[in-house]
Amino acid sequence: MIIQTLQEFCKFFKHQQPIISIDYGSKKIGLAISSPDHHLPMPLKVINDESEKKKLQEIEAIIQERKICAIVVGLPLNMDGSKSEQTLLVEKFANRLSGRTNLPIFLQDER
């Protein structure tokens, strides 16, 4: 489920369960994971797979393996707040991911 506000998103945090952050690109997806107390983010992995289906499967496996409680996806808005082509691709990806997991997803403005 896509969560609209940061305040609402934080209500889903669970003690000792990290958050995963996703930097979506059409060729590569960067992943970072928080410490279990949600204070320190650390790089985790770069997914280079060409298939969107395989990218999603790999993310799902990491979510299960690491007992992730929430997901942050970077949202690349233009400096004036308008949406770009990449913004639309990220939103489409986040919606697909939302359909495959019951975890809350927050789209974080990258500006």
Side-chain angles (χ1 to χ4, degrees), residues 19-69:
I19 300 163
I20 194 166
S21 298
I22 301 173
D23 185 13
Y24 180 82
S26 54
K27 295 185 181 182
K28 295 179 184 180
I29 296 178
L31 302 177
I33 190 167
S34 75
S35 57
D37 63 3
H38 312 129
H39 290 289
L40 181 67
M42 298 162 281
L44 179 64
K45 181 176 193 156
V46 174
I47 299 173
N48 291 310
D49 207 304
E50 303 240 345
S51 162
E52 192 74 16
K53 182 179 178 182
K54 288 183 181 180
K55 289 176 187 174
L56 286 167
Q57 288 172 339
E58 191 163 348
I59 292 168
E60 287 177 277
I62 290 168
I63 287 169
Q64 289 179 353
E65 175 187 314
R66 302 277 185 143
K67 296 181 173 57
I68 301 299
C69 70

Side-chain angles (χ1 to χ4, degrees), residues 78-102:
N78 290 321
M79 291 308 289
D80 65 1
S82 64
K83 293 182 179 183
S84 66
E85 247 183 78
Q86 188 63 25
T87 308
L88 300 176
L89 290 174
V90 168
E91 289 176 334
K92 186 176 177 182
F93 167 79
N95 284 317
R96 278 194 303 253
L97 183 59
S98 178
R100 297 175 70 120
T101 180
N102 290 328

